[in-house]
Amino acid sequence: MLGGLGLSPDHESVYRLLVARMTAGSAELADALRLPVATVDAALSHLLAYGLVTRTPDAEFSAAPPAVALGALISERRDALRSAELALVTLAEEHRGATAGRSISELIEVVTGVDAIQHRFAQVQHAARTQVRTFVTAPFVAVPPGANRAETVLIDRGIGYRVVLERAVLTEPGAVAETIESLGNGVQVRVVESLPLKLVLADAELGLVPLTVGLGGEPGAVLLHRSGLLAALDALFEIVWQRAYPLEVTALNGLIDADDPGADTRTPTELDRRILALLLAGFTDQVVATQLDLSLRTLQRRLRHLMDLAGVETRMQLGWYAARHNWA
């Protein structure tokens, strides 16, 4: 828990035990923690240097009050982070000025290998000051569903996320669960039939474009700095975003039993609404049935029931009726 303050698990264990016992010698601490005396002595030296522990007149050790000692460490870390943030702004401005006269080879960096792509993927997101925008296509090569830990961290810092999914992505294992989690975290998600490429944009400053992988080939990507090419990709994202269909949590999240005998058959159930939302997003019957864990026959039966409720004869009429009466 205190690793963020520069304390190892051994340091924390010794300090916690001293807080509980008030005072103790190194041998006593080593015996209680079942650690070598040398390890405890090294931890005590570190804690003394940090001001978390003091020596008593009888050569034992005492824990400094946590509210005072840890509070001071936390304040120091906050000050250091503020200084780092100011340095980041300064360096970013210097970098932006330097790129103005750079050659094409300096503005485009080729990244090769899964580990390198994952590293750059995280770096590009952390470079954002206002928003991250992404195109997500299938299949996943370097960053599978659930592997983007940077998203939650940056959302907590106030960075906005806009994501456009290729429709086939939602048929990939784990993709629906990750999309639901992202929507719950405030990510704006839209879906289109197909996308021309994978893409990650940090504001209008950096872009990462994964390259097509040949059979047996090593995955690669291109890291783009501010340039005419990056500006074109920025514009492409905004055009696609405007034409994409917004996804909502209610269209994906959870299931209810369509055959619930207690359900009111005169109004659409929650499952019916999810079916309609996915169909209106352009998914096929088979994809909708798979995602909602329904048989194709059950899905079509539910649609026939909805058409009867709406008093319509075609699915196009049902879509119009559903939109007008807020069924989806």
Side-chain angles (χ1 to χ4, degrees), residues 142-156:
V143 187
N148 184 17
R149 299 180 181 87
E151 180 182 290
T152 302
V153 173
L154 292 173
I155 288 173
D156 289 341

Side-chain angles (χ1 to χ4, degrees), residues 82-319:
R82 290 192 189 100
S83 296
E85 288 175 347
L86 290 174
L88 169 62
V89 172
T90 301
L91 289 170
E93 291 301 325
E94 291 177 359
H95 180 264
R96 187 177 296 109
T99 58
R102 291 166 72 180
S103 65
I104 292 177
S105 62
E106 293 175 307
L107 293 173
I108 299 176
E109 174 189 347
V110 178
V111 183
T112 305
V114 170
D115 291 342
I117 293 173
Q118 290 176 344
H119 183 64
R120 281 288 189 261
F121 180 67
Q123 280 188 328
V124 168
Q125 293 176 84
H126 280 284
R129 289 184 291 177
T130 58
Q131 68 170 333
V132 174
R133 293 167 293 168
T134 66
F135 283 164
V136 182
T137 67
F140 301 103
V141 178
V143 187
N148 184 17
R149 299 180 181 87
E151 180 182 290
T152 302
V153 173
L154 292 173
I155 288 173
D156 289 341
R157 294 180 187 172
I159 303 298
Y161 269 74
R162 287 192 286 153
V163 178
V164 179
L165 300 177
E166 189 174 67
R167 189 164 286 120
V169 166
L170 292 175
T171 66
E172 295 286 324
V176 170
E178 183 181 44
T179 302
I180 291 171
E181 181 179 356
S182 294
L183 286 166
N185 289 335
V187 177
Q188 298 180 63
V189 182
R190 295 188 177 186
V191 63
V192 294
E193 182 63 34
S194 63
L195 289 168
L197 74 171
K198 297 179 187 288
L199 175 65
V200 184
L201 294 172
D203 303 321
E205 304 299 323
L206 283 175
L208 186 67
V209 182
L211 303 174
T212 302
V213 183
L215 184 62
E218 190 173 28
V222 176
L223 180 66
L224 302 173
H225 296 270
R226 179 188 278 267
S227 60
L229 180 55
L230 186 62
L233 291 173
D234 182 296
L236 173 64
F237 180 92
E238 294 303 329
I239 291 171
V240 173
W241 176 262
Q242 292 300 322
R243 297 176 180 177
Y245 183 88
L247 280 182
E248 303 291 341
V249 173
T250 53
L252 302 171
N253 190 25
L255 299 171
I256 64 170
D257 187 358
D259 296 316
D260 180 3
D264 185 353
T265 59
R266 296 169 298 175
T267 59
T269 65
E270 187 62 26
L271 177 58
D272 291 334
R273 294 178 185 275
R274 288 169 185 142
I275 290 171
L276 287 169
L278 290 172
L279 289 173
L280 288 173
F283 294 102
T284 65
D285 287 7
Q286 187 59 63
V287 170
V288 174
T290 300
Q291 291 300 326
L292 297 180
D293 198 22
L294 301 172
S295 70
L296 191 58
R297 183 175 179 180
T298 297
L299 173 69
Q300 292 169 346
R301 178 167 56 82
R302 296 306 304 171
L303 287 172
R304 181 67 261 174
H305 173 65
L306 291 170
M307 290 169 68
D308 291 341
L309 281 179
V312 299
E313 295 298 326
T314 68
R315 289 195 183 190
M316 183 175 294
Q317 292 171 335
L318 175 62

